[in-house]
Amino acid sequence: MTPPATPTSGVPADAGADRRRTPQDIRRWRRYLADERAEAATYRDLASRRTGEEKEILLALADAEKRHENHWLALLGDDVGKPLRGDWRTRSLGLFARRFGGVFVLALAQRAEARSTYETDVDATATMAADERIHEEVVRGLATRGRMRMSGTFRAAVFGANDGLVSNLALILGIGASGASNATVLLSGLAGLLAGALSMGAGEYVSVRSQRELLDASTPSPLASAALPHLDVDANELALVYRARGLAPDEAERHAGEVLSTYTAATVIAPAAEEDEFETHGSAMGAAVSSFLFFASGALIPVLPYLFGLQGGVAVLVGSGLVGLALLGTGATVGLLSGASPIKRALRQLAIGFGAAAATYLLGLVFGATVA
Protein backbone atom coordinates (compact mmCIF):
# COMPACT_ATOMS: atom_id res chain seq x y z
CA MET A 1 0.00 0.00 0.00
CA THR A 2 1.35 3.43 -0.86
CA PRO A 3 1.84 5.86 2.02
CA PRO A 4 -0.74 8.61 2.48
CA ALA A 5 -0.06 11.79 0.59
CA THR A 6 1.02 14.92 2.34
CA PRO A 7 -1.28 17.96 2.47
CA THR A 8 0.97 19.83 0.05
CA SER A 9 0.05 17.37 -2.70
CA GLY A 10 -3.58 18.50 -2.61
CA VAL A 11 -4.67 15.21 -1.03
CA PRO A 12 -5.75 15.09 2.61
CA ALA A 13 -3.39 13.02 4.75
CA ASP A 14 -6.13 10.54 5.61
CA ALA A 15 -7.76 10.30 2.17
CA GLY A 16 -7.95 6.64 1.21
CA ALA A 17 -5.67 5.73 4.12
CA ASP A 18 -8.17 5.27 6.96
CA ARG A 19 -9.39 2.00 5.44
CA ARG A 20 -7.94 -0.80 3.41
CA ARG A 21 -7.45 -0.11 -0.28
CA THR A 22 -9.60 -2.47 -2.29
CA PRO A 23 -9.49 -3.34 -5.97
CA GLN A 24 -12.85 -1.54 -6.28
CA ASP A 25 -11.30 1.63 -4.85
CA ILE A 26 -8.41 1.49 -7.29
CA ARG A 27 -10.73 0.93 -10.26
CA ARG A 28 -12.89 3.88 -9.17
CA TRP A 29 -9.90 6.17 -8.73
CA ARG A 30 -8.53 5.18 -12.12
CA ARG A 31 -11.92 5.90 -13.69
CA TYR A 32 -12.01 9.33 -12.04
CA LEU A 33 -8.47 9.96 -13.30
CA ALA A 34 -9.47 9.07 -16.85
CA ASP A 35 -12.55 11.33 -16.70
CA GLU A 36 -10.55 14.28 -15.38
CA ARG A 37 -8.01 13.88 -18.16
CA ALA A 38 -10.73 13.65 -20.78
CA GLU A 39 -12.55 16.72 -19.44
CA ALA A 40 -9.31 18.73 -19.38
CA ALA A 41 -8.64 17.74 -22.99
CA THR A 42 -12.18 18.79 -23.94
CA TYR A 43 -11.73 22.25 -22.43
CA ARG A 44 -8.41 22.66 -24.21
CA ASP A 45 -10.02 21.65 -27.52
CA LEU A 46 -12.81 24.17 -26.96
CA ALA A 47 -10.26 26.85 -26.03
CA SER A 48 -8.40 26.27 -29.30
CA ARG A 49 -11.55 27.47 -31.12
CA ARG A 50 -11.96 30.59 -28.98
CA THR A 51 -10.13 33.86 -28.50
CA GLY A 52 -9.88 36.43 -25.76
CA GLU A 53 -11.72 36.00 -22.48
CA GLU A 54 -13.56 32.79 -23.40
CA LYS A 55 -10.27 31.12 -24.33
CA GLU A 56 -8.73 32.11 -20.99
CA ILE A 57 -11.73 30.83 -19.04
CA LEU A 58 -11.67 27.46 -20.79
CA LEU A 59 -7.94 27.07 -20.23
CA ALA A 60 -8.44 27.89 -16.54
CA LEU A 61 -11.05 25.12 -16.35
CA ALA A 62 -8.55 22.72 -17.93
CA ASP A 63 -5.99 23.69 -15.28
CA ALA A 64 -8.55 23.01 -12.55
CA GLU A 65 -9.22 19.55 -13.95
CA LYS A 66 -5.44 19.01 -13.89
CA ARG A 67 -5.46 19.65 -10.12
CA HIS A 68 -8.16 17.01 -9.70
CA GLU A 69 -6.12 14.67 -11.87
CA ASN A 70 -3.16 15.12 -9.52
CA HIS A 71 -5.36 14.20 -6.55
CA TRP A 72 -6.18 10.79 -8.01
CA LEU A 73 -2.61 10.25 -9.17
CA ALA A 74 -1.39 10.84 -5.61
CA LEU A 75 -3.92 8.38 -4.20
CA LEU A 76 -3.14 5.71 -6.77
CA GLY A 77 0.61 5.91 -6.44
CA ASP A 78 2.15 2.80 -8.01
CA ASP A 79 -1.35 1.46 -8.81
CA VAL A 80 -2.03 4.06 -11.50
CA GLY A 81 -1.51 1.43 -14.22
CA LYS A 82 -2.17 2.01 -17.88
CA PRO A 83 -4.40 5.00 -18.76
CA LEU A 84 -8.08 4.06 -18.91
CA ARG A 85 -10.61 5.42 -21.32
CA GLY A 86 -12.98 7.93 -19.74
CA ASP A 87 -16.72 7.49 -19.34
CA TRP A 88 -18.46 7.17 -22.73
CA ARG A 89 -20.28 10.45 -22.18
CA THR A 90 -17.02 12.24 -21.43
CA ARG A 91 -15.36 10.69 -24.50
CA SER A 92 -18.33 11.73 -26.65
CA LEU A 93 -18.01 15.25 -25.30
CA GLY A 94 -14.37 15.34 -26.35
CA LEU A 95 -15.24 14.05 -29.82
CA PHE A 96 -17.88 16.74 -30.29
CA ALA A 97 -15.47 19.41 -29.05
CA ARG A 98 -12.86 18.40 -31.64
CA ARG A 99 -15.37 18.16 -34.48
CA PHE A 100 -17.81 20.98 -33.78
CA GLY A 101 -17.21 23.19 -30.72
CA GLY A 102 -19.96 25.69 -30.01
CA VAL A 103 -22.92 25.94 -27.69
CA PHE A 104 -23.96 22.31 -28.18
CA VAL A 105 -20.71 21.05 -26.67
CA LEU A 106 -20.84 23.62 -23.86
CA ALA A 107 -24.35 22.43 -22.99
CA LEU A 108 -23.07 18.85 -22.83
CA ALA A 109 -20.13 19.99 -20.69
CA GLN A 110 -22.56 21.69 -18.32
CA ARG A 111 -24.41 18.42 -17.85
CA ALA A 112 -21.13 16.54 -17.40
CA GLU A 113 -20.09 18.87 -14.55
CA ALA A 114 -23.54 18.49 -12.96
CA ARG A 115 -23.12 14.68 -12.87
CA SER A 116 -20.12 14.86 -10.54
CA THR A 117 -20.29 12.40 -7.64
CA TYR A 118 -17.46 13.95 -5.64
CA GLU A 119 -19.88 15.23 -2.98
CA THR A 120 -20.69 11.66 -1.96
CA ASP A 121 -17.30 10.07 -2.56
CA VAL A 122 -15.26 9.62 0.63
CA ASP A 123 -11.98 9.91 -1.28
CA ALA A 124 -12.76 13.22 -2.98
CA THR A 125 -12.15 16.43 -1.06
CA ALA A 126 -14.79 19.04 -0.28
CA THR A 127 -12.77 21.48 -2.35
CA MET A 128 -12.99 19.22 -5.39
CA ALA A 129 -16.76 18.84 -4.99
CA ALA A 130 -17.09 22.63 -4.69
CA ASP A 131 -14.90 23.06 -7.77
CA GLU A 132 -17.24 20.89 -9.84
CA ARG A 133 -20.28 22.94 -8.82
CA ILE A 134 -18.48 26.16 -9.73
CA HIS A 135 -17.31 24.64 -13.01
CA GLU A 136 -20.94 23.90 -13.86
CA GLU A 137 -21.83 27.57 -13.34
CA VAL A 138 -18.83 28.75 -15.37
CA VAL A 139 -19.79 26.51 -18.29
CA ARG A 140 -23.43 27.55 -17.89
CA GLY A 141 -22.34 31.18 -18.29
CA LEU A 142 -20.32 30.41 -21.41
CA ALA A 143 -23.16 28.36 -22.88
CA THR A 144 -25.64 31.14 -22.11
CA ARG A 145 -23.80 33.46 -24.46
CA GLY A 146 -24.27 31.01 -27.31
CA ARG A 147 -27.87 30.30 -26.33
CA MET A 148 -28.66 34.00 -26.39
CA ARG A 149 -27.13 34.39 -29.86
CA MET A 150 -29.06 31.48 -31.31
CA SER A 151 -32.29 31.71 -29.31
CA GLY A 152 -34.38 33.55 -31.91
CA THR A 153 -33.64 31.33 -34.89
CA PHE A 154 -33.42 28.17 -32.77
CA ARG A 155 -36.81 28.86 -31.17
CA ALA A 156 -38.35 29.31 -34.61
CA ALA A 157 -36.71 26.10 -35.87
CA VAL A 158 -37.79 23.93 -32.95
CA PHE A 159 -41.28 25.39 -32.81
CA GLY A 160 -41.65 25.06 -36.58
CA ALA A 161 -40.50 21.43 -36.70
CA ASN A 162 -42.63 20.39 -33.74
CA ASP A 163 -45.70 22.20 -35.07
CA GLY A 164 -45.24 20.63 -38.50
CA LEU A 165 -44.93 17.14 -37.03
CA VAL A 166 -47.91 17.39 -34.71
CA SER A 167 -50.31 19.45 -36.80
CA ASN A 168 -49.89 17.45 -40.01
CA LEU A 169 -50.01 14.09 -38.21
CA ALA A 170 -53.19 15.24 -36.47
CA LEU A 171 -54.62 16.45 -39.78
CA ILE A 172 -53.85 13.18 -41.57
CA LEU A 173 -55.15 11.04 -38.72
CA GLY A 174 -58.32 13.09 -38.41
CA ILE A 175 -59.10 12.96 -42.12
CA GLY A 176 -58.15 9.31 -42.39
CA ALA A 177 -60.37 8.39 -39.44
CA SER A 178 -63.32 10.10 -41.08
CA GLY A 179 -63.22 7.51 -43.87
CA ALA A 180 -61.69 9.66 -46.60
CA SER A 181 -59.75 8.01 -49.44
CA ASN A 182 -55.97 7.76 -49.48
CA ALA A 183 -55.79 10.35 -52.27
CA THR A 184 -57.77 12.78 -50.14
CA VAL A 185 -55.55 12.14 -47.13
CA LEU A 186 -52.40 12.68 -49.21
CA LEU A 187 -53.74 15.87 -50.80
CA SER A 188 -54.81 17.20 -47.41
CA GLY A 189 -51.39 16.44 -45.95
CA LEU A 190 -49.54 18.26 -48.75
CA ALA A 191 -51.93 21.21 -48.53
CA GLY A 192 -51.44 21.33 -44.77
CA LEU A 193 -47.67 21.26 -45.25
CA LEU A 194 -47.63 24.19 -47.67
CA ALA A 195 -50.22 26.31 -45.89
CA GLY A 196 -48.70 25.72 -42.47
CA ALA A 197 -45.13 26.42 -43.61
CA LEU A 198 -46.13 29.70 -45.29
CA SER A 199 -48.18 30.73 -42.26
CA MET A 200 -45.37 29.90 -39.84
CA GLY A 201 -42.76 31.73 -41.92
CA ALA A 202 -44.89 34.84 -42.28
CA GLY A 203 -45.84 34.80 -38.61
CA GLU A 204 -42.23 34.51 -37.46
CA TYR A 205 -41.12 37.31 -39.77
CA VAL A 206 -43.81 39.68 -38.48
CA SER A 207 -43.17 38.68 -34.86
CA VAL A 208 -39.39 39.10 -34.88
CA ARG A 209 -39.49 42.19 -37.08
CA SER A 210 -42.02 43.83 -34.78
CA GLN A 211 -39.91 42.99 -31.72
CA ARG A 212 -36.81 44.51 -33.25
CA GLU A 213 -38.75 47.63 -34.25
CA LEU A 214 -39.95 47.99 -30.66
CA LEU A 215 -36.34 47.78 -29.48
CA ASP A 216 -35.29 50.35 -32.09
CA ALA A 217 -38.05 52.67 -30.91
CA SER A 218 -36.58 52.55 -27.38
CA THR A 219 -33.12 53.66 -28.56
CA PRO A 220 -32.39 57.35 -27.74
CA SER A 221 -32.54 59.70 -30.71
CA PRO A 222 -29.22 61.22 -31.92
CA LEU A 223 -31.05 64.54 -32.22
CA ALA A 224 -31.68 64.55 -28.47
CA SER A 225 -27.98 63.99 -27.77
CA ALA A 226 -27.11 66.85 -30.12
CA ALA A 227 -29.29 69.17 -28.01
CA LEU A 228 -27.25 68.60 -24.84
CA PRO A 229 -24.92 71.66 -25.11
CA HIS A 230 -27.90 74.00 -25.48
CA LEU A 231 -29.84 72.86 -22.41
CA ASP A 232 -30.50 75.22 -19.54
CA VAL A 233 -28.18 73.91 -16.86
CA ASP A 234 -30.23 75.44 -14.07
CA ALA A 235 -33.50 73.93 -15.26
CA ASN A 236 -31.78 70.62 -15.96
CA GLU A 237 -34.67 69.02 -17.84
CA LEU A 238 -32.28 66.24 -18.77
CA ALA A 239 -33.07 64.71 -15.38
CA LEU A 240 -36.61 64.06 -16.63
CA VAL A 241 -35.17 61.76 -19.29
CA TYR A 242 -33.53 59.57 -16.66
CA ARG A 243 -36.59 59.66 -14.40
CA ALA A 244 -38.66 58.47 -17.37
CA ARG A 245 -36.20 55.60 -17.76
CA GLY A 246 -36.64 54.48 -14.17
CA LEU A 247 -34.12 56.40 -12.02
CA ALA A 248 -35.19 57.95 -8.72
CA PRO A 249 -35.45 61.78 -8.76
CA ASP A 250 -32.25 62.40 -6.75
CA GLU A 251 -30.28 59.87 -8.77
CA ALA A 252 -31.64 61.30 -12.02
CA GLU A 253 -30.61 64.84 -11.02
CA ARG A 254 -27.14 63.67 -10.08
CA HIS A 255 -26.63 61.67 -13.29
CA ALA A 256 -27.92 64.53 -15.46
CA GLY A 257 -25.50 66.92 -13.77
CA GLU A 258 -22.61 64.56 -14.46
CA VAL A 259 -23.58 64.25 -18.14
CA LEU A 260 -23.81 68.02 -18.61
CA SER A 261 -20.57 68.73 -16.77
CA THR A 262 -18.56 66.19 -18.74
CA TYR A 263 -20.22 66.71 -22.13
CA THR A 264 -18.19 66.05 -25.29
CA ALA A 265 -19.15 65.59 -28.93
CA ALA A 266 -19.33 61.82 -28.33
CA THR A 267 -21.72 62.05 -25.37
CA VAL A 268 -25.12 60.39 -25.78
CA ILE A 269 -28.13 60.81 -23.51
CA ALA A 270 -28.42 57.07 -22.93
CA PRO A 271 -26.61 54.09 -24.42
CA ALA A 272 -28.21 52.23 -27.31
CA ALA A 273 -29.41 48.66 -26.89
CA GLU A 274 -26.64 46.09 -26.64
CA GLU A 275 -26.03 44.02 -29.76
CA ASP A 276 -26.69 40.86 -27.74
CA GLU A 277 -30.16 42.15 -27.00
CA PHE A 278 -30.94 42.16 -30.70
CA GLU A 279 -29.24 38.80 -31.23
CA THR A 280 -31.54 37.29 -28.61
CA HIS A 281 -34.45 37.81 -30.99
CA GLY A 282 -32.52 36.86 -34.11
CA SER A 283 -33.08 38.33 -37.56
CA ALA A 284 -36.61 38.44 -38.93
CA MET A 285 -35.65 36.80 -42.23
CA GLY A 286 -33.55 34.14 -40.51
CA ALA A 287 -36.41 33.25 -38.18
CA ALA A 288 -38.91 33.20 -41.06
CA VAL A 289 -36.80 30.98 -43.33
CA SER A 290 -35.88 28.67 -40.45
CA SER A 291 -39.51 28.35 -39.37
CA PHE A 292 -40.69 27.69 -42.96
CA LEU A 293 -38.09 25.01 -43.66
CA PHE A 294 -38.41 23.23 -40.34
CA PHE A 295 -42.21 23.26 -40.41
CA ALA A 296 -42.15 21.86 -43.94
CA SER A 297 -39.63 19.17 -43.01
CA GLY A 298 -41.65 18.22 -39.95
CA ALA A 299 -44.95 18.22 -41.82
CA LEU A 300 -43.49 16.05 -44.59
CA ILE A 301 -42.72 13.15 -42.26
CA PRO A 302 -46.30 11.93 -41.64
CA VAL A 303 -47.01 12.28 -45.39
CA LEU A 304 -44.08 10.08 -46.47
CA PRO A 305 -45.89 6.71 -46.14
CA TYR A 306 -48.65 7.94 -48.46
CA LEU A 307 -46.12 9.30 -50.96
CA PHE A 308 -44.51 5.83 -51.08
CA GLY A 309 -47.83 4.13 -51.74
CA LEU A 310 -48.74 2.79 -48.29
CA GLN A 311 -52.41 2.79 -47.40
CA GLY A 312 -54.81 2.52 -44.50
CA GLY A 313 -53.63 1.37 -41.11
CA VAL A 314 -50.13 0.54 -42.32
CA ALA A 315 -49.60 4.14 -43.50
CA VAL A 316 -50.94 5.47 -40.20
CA LEU A 317 -48.66 3.24 -38.13
CA VAL A 318 -45.56 4.00 -40.20
CA GLY A 319 -46.28 7.72 -40.22
CA SER A 320 -46.93 7.76 -36.48
CA GLY A 321 -43.71 5.85 -35.82
CA LEU A 322 -41.66 8.26 -37.92
CA VAL A 323 -43.24 11.26 -36.20
CA GLY A 324 -42.58 9.67 -32.82
CA LEU A 325 -38.88 9.31 -33.59
CA ALA A 326 -38.71 12.89 -34.83
CA LEU A 327 -40.48 14.18 -31.69
CA LEU A 328 -38.02 12.27 -29.53
CA GLY A 329 -35.15 13.82 -31.48
CA THR A 330 -36.39 17.41 -31.19
CA GLY A 331 -37.17 16.96 -27.51
CA ALA A 332 -33.76 15.49 -26.77
CA THR A 333 -32.03 18.30 -28.68
CA VAL A 334 -33.87 20.95 -26.68
CA GLY A 335 -32.99 19.11 -23.49
CA LEU A 336 -29.30 18.96 -24.36
CA LEU A 337 -29.06 22.61 -25.34
CA SER A 338 -30.95 23.74 -22.24
CA GLY A 339 -28.75 21.65 -19.94
CA ALA A 340 -31.73 19.51 -18.89
CA SER A 341 -32.27 15.77 -19.15
CA PRO A 342 -32.62 14.88 -22.86
CA ILE A 343 -34.63 11.75 -22.04
CA LYS A 344 -37.25 13.60 -20.00
CA ARG A 345 -37.58 16.34 -22.61
CA ALA A 346 -37.86 13.77 -25.39
CA LEU A 347 -40.60 11.83 -23.60
CA ARG A 348 -42.45 15.04 -22.78
CA GLN A 349 -42.34 16.10 -26.43
CA LEU A 350 -43.60 12.67 -27.49
CA ALA A 351 -46.48 12.70 -25.00
CA ILE A 352 -47.64 16.18 -26.00
CA GLY A 353 -47.41 15.46 -29.73
CA PHE A 354 -49.17 12.11 -29.63
CA GLY A 355 -51.77 13.47 -27.21
CA ALA A 356 -52.77 16.18 -29.69
CA ALA A 357 -52.78 13.73 -32.60
CA ALA A 358 -54.88 11.19 -30.67
CA ALA A 359 -57.47 13.83 -29.80
CA THR A 360 -57.77 14.82 -33.46
CA TYR A 361 -58.04 11.16 -34.50
CA LEU A 362 -60.93 10.63 -32.08
CA LEU A 363 -62.67 13.71 -33.43
CA GLY A 364 -62.23 12.32 -36.94
CA LEU A 365 -63.87 9.06 -35.90
CA VAL A 366 -66.80 10.95 -34.39
CA PHE A 367 -67.12 13.17 -37.45
CA GLY A 368 -66.95 10.20 -39.81
CA ALA A 369 -69.64 8.35 -37.87
CA THR A 370 -71.86 11.45 -37.86
CA VAL A 371 -71.55 11.97 -41.59
CA ALA A 372 -72.19 8.30 -42.28
Side-chain angles (χ1 to χ4, degrees), residues 37-353:
R37 285 172 169 170
E39 288 178 9
T42 296
Y43 288 133
R44 285 192 292 269
D45 285 334
L46 287 172
S48 68
R49 299 171 177 267
R50 300 291 199 278
T51 58
E53 185 181 22
E54 287 192 14
K55 182 184 184 74
E56 294 177 5
I57 292 172
L58 289 165
L59 290 175
L61 288 174
D63 290 340
E65 303 297 353
K66 180 68 174 179
R67 293 196 304 271
H68 297 178
E69 175 186 338
N70 290 336
H71 172 91
W72 301 117
L73 282 172
L75 276 181
L76 283 164
D78 295 335
D79 293 320
V80 64
K82 294 182 180 179
L84 294 180
R85 302 181 70 187
D87 176 83
W88 69 269
R89 289 173 293 195
T90 306
R91 297 200 310 273
S92 299
L93 181 60
L95 176 63
F96 284 131
R98 289 189 293 274
R99 292 290 185 270
F100 307 111
V103 63
F104 185 76
V105 179
L106 287 171
L108 289 175
Q110 178 184 327
R111 281 191 55 77
E113 296 289 358
R115 288 195 301 266
S116 173
T117 58
Y118 285 171
E119 290 180 351
T120 58
D121 194 293
V122 296
D123 298 315
T125 67
T127 299
M128 292 169 62
D131 285 348
E132 295 298 308
R133 291 293 168 237
I134 296 302
H135 293 177
E136 179 186 357
E137 292 308 313
V138 172
V139 177
R140 190 195 308 277
L142 292 175
T144 296
R145 299 184 183 188
R147 290 178 180 127
M148 293 288 285
R149 287 192 289 267
M150 70 181 294
S151 61
T153 302
F154 179 71
R155 176 186 58 81
V158 171
F159 180 62
N162 187 72
D163 198 23
L165 288 164
V166 176
S167 64
N168 228 29
L169 177 63
L171 174 66
I172 288 173
L173 292 182
I175 293 177
S178 69
S181 65
N182 270 33
T184 301
V185 174
L186 176 58
L187 181 61
S188 299
L190 293 175
L193 183 157
L194 183 59
L198 289 172
S199 176
M200 287 287 295
E204 282 294 335
Y205 181 86
V206 172
S207 174
V208 175
R209 184 66 182 175
S210 298
Q211 185 64 44
R212 292 179 68 89
E213 288 171 352
L214 288 174
L215 291 173
D216 284 333
S218 300
T219 301
S221 168
L223 297 177
S225 298
L228 286 175
H230 307 293
L231 287 177
D232 185 339
V233 177
D234 294 327
N236 199 5
E237 292 187 1
L238 181 59
L240 297 178
V241 173
Y242 301 120
R243 290 175 65 181
R245 288 180 174 269
L247 292 184
D250 292 343
E251 189 178 358
E253 291 282 352
R254 183 169 58 256
H255 185 61
E258 292 174 355
V259 170
L260 291 175
S261 63
T262 59
Y263 171 81
T264 67
T267 300
V268 294
I269 284 183
E274 295 288 341
E275 186 63 25
D276 284 348
E277 189 173 358
F278 289 99
E279 288 179 348
T280 300
H281 302 280
S283 70
M285 185 57 68
V289 172
S290 179
S291 183
F292 177 91
L293 293 177
F294 278 90
F295 183 98
S297 62
L300 178 64
I301 291 177
V303 181
L304 286 176
Y306 296 93
L307 288 174
F308 283 96
L310 299 181
Q311 299 181 5
V314 175
V316 169
L317 289 176
V318 172
S320 298
L322 293 174
V323 169
L325 292 175
L327 288 172
L328 289 172
T330 57
T333 300
V334 172
L336 286 173
L337 288 173
S338 64
S341 169
I343 296 178
K344 289 182 179 179
R345 293 296 185 272
L347 294 176
R348 183 183 69 179
Q349 200 94 329
L350 182 67
I352 293 173

